[in-house]
Amino acid sequence: MELNALFLQHVAASYDKQMALGDLIGGSDWQFDMGTQSLTFGTKIRFKIQVIGTESTHSRTWLWSWANEASGIPTPMLRASDSLRTYGQRSGIREFTQASFGLSDQANGHILSMIASGLCNGDAYYRGPYDGGALFMLIRDDRYPHQTINPANRVSTLFPQLIATMPVSNQRQAFLHYLEFYLAKVSVDDNILTGTFSNKQVVEARFLPDNRLESIKTKMGA
């Protein structure tokens, strides 16, 4: 499996999680505490995290946390990156098994963290900048407050925002996986994908021949 195929599977749902995290923390300052294995926002919001890896702005490289022996990261905080390495070995994903590699538009901290958020059932991820680079952390905490949402409205609102924000090579495929994330019943009619949610609301998306989104709308099902 190629990295981009995994990205398409998880990009929309992970973007959704990131928007929810942004609503939760706003512009709060962040603090990482390796001793308590936690990430704190402001004075009241604190979550348990896993360390995914780091980006270096000097060498323009990515380093997985499982390979970062110099930082002394506690073993419990390496579980997510270890599981990705195992997944990469089993599925033939080179980027998951290389300790370090050069950053690119196809493989960087955000892309790898979006995939990790999906594969490792994370609540969201956070990029913590520091002098010379950035630390990417996966939030996984039973106390994480999940929003009560209308999935049809959220999908129809966030998916256009996603494809306007970052390149998605196959928008049709990414949208299909987004519907699956919300357990929608999916039907396909040529260039139209329709998702019916448990509350009977429906999202209908029309795609161009090159798999780019043409239009999207919501309606009540029968």
Side-chain angles (χ1 to χ4, degrees), residues 67-157:
N68 190 353
E69 298 179 358
S71 294
I73 302 171
T75 299
M77 298 177 73
L78 299 175
R79 289 171 184 156
S81 69
D82 280 338
S83 68
L84 291 173
R85 177 170 54 166
T86 300
Y87 186 96
Q89 292 168 340
R90 185 172 65 246
S91 305
I93 302 174
R94 176 176 52 84
E95 292 87 353
F96 284 6
T97 60
Q98 287 183 292
S100 180
F101 52 85
L103 299 172
S104 69
D105 291 340
Q106 292 73 43
N108 54 55
H110 283 296
I111 287 174
L112 296 171
S113 295
M114 282 185 146
I115 294 172
S117 186
L119 285 179
C120 301
N121 297 315
D123 298 300
Y125 75 89
Y126 189 76
R127 177 188 183 275
Y130 58 82
D131 186 25
L135 173 69
F136 286 81
M137 297 160 278
L138 184 68
I139 299 172
R140 290 180 60 181
D141 196 315
D142 293 338
R143 301 166 299 172
Y144 190 86
H146 293 279
Q147 300 173 325
T148 300
I149 61 167
N150 181 313
N153 290 345
R154 191 159 181 87
V155 167
S156 63
T157 299

Side-chain angles (χ1 to χ4, degrees), residues 14-209:
S14 295
Y15 180 82
D16 188 313
K17 296 175 187 178
Q18 293 308 111
M19 294 302 99
L21 177 64
D23 291 341
L24 178 65
I25 65 175
S28 300
D29 292 334
W30 67 280
Q31 184 175 356
F32 167 59
D33 189 326
M34 192 179 295
T36 60
Q37 302 172 27
S38 64
L39 176 63
T40 302
F41 299 101
T43 58
K44 297 181 179 180
I45 303 174
R46 176 177 294 178
F47 298 120
K48 291 290 186 179
I49 58 100
Q50 304 270 306
V51 178
I52 305 170
T54 54
E55 282 186 345
S56 169
T57 55
H58 299 309
S59 62
R60 294 288 301 160
T61 55
W62 169 264
L63 175 65
W64 287 104
S65 62
W66 56 259
N68 190 353
E69 298 179 358
S71 294
I73 302 171
T75 299
M77 298 177 73
L78 299 175
R79 289 171 184 156
S81 69
D82 280 338
S83 68
L84 291 173
R85 177 170 54 166
T86 300
Y87 186 96
Q89 292 168 340
R90 185 172 65 246
S91 305
I93 302 174
R94 176 176 52 84
E95 292 87 353
F96 284 6
T97 60
Q98 287 183 292
S100 180
F101 52 85
L103 299 172
S104 69
D105 291 340
Q106 292 73 43
N108 54 55
H110 283 296
I111 287 174
L112 296 171
S113 295
M114 282 185 146
I115 294 172
S117 186
L119 285 179
C120 301
N121 297 315
D123 298 300
Y125 75 89
Y126 189 76
R127 177 188 183 275
Y130 58 82
D131 186 25
L135 173 69
F136 286 81
M137 297 160 278
L138 184 68
I139 299 172
R140 290 180 60 181
D141 196 315
D142 293 338
R143 301 166 299 172
Y144 190 86
H146 293 279
Q147 300 173 325
T148 300
I149 61 167
N150 181 313
N153 290 345
R154 191 159 181 87
V155 167
S156 63
T157 299
L158 290 188
F159 192 77
Q161 291 181 17
L162 163 66
I163 60 178
T165 301
M166 62 191 309
V168 178
S169 61
N170 189 323
Q171 296 173 7
R172 178 190 176 109
Q173 191 70 18
F175 184 77
L176 173 63
H177 289 299
Y178 197 15
L179 293 179
E180 292 171 344
F181 172 74
Y182 275 114
L183 304 179
K185 181 180 179 181
V186 178
S187 62
V188 181
D189 182 9
D190 194 19
N191 62 336
I192 299 174
L193 285 181
T194 303
T196 303
F197 299 89
S198 59
N199 63 359
K200 306 303 182 183
Q201 279 201 307
V202 175
V203 172
E204 182 181 283
R206 184 182 298 271
F207 291 86
L208 298 168

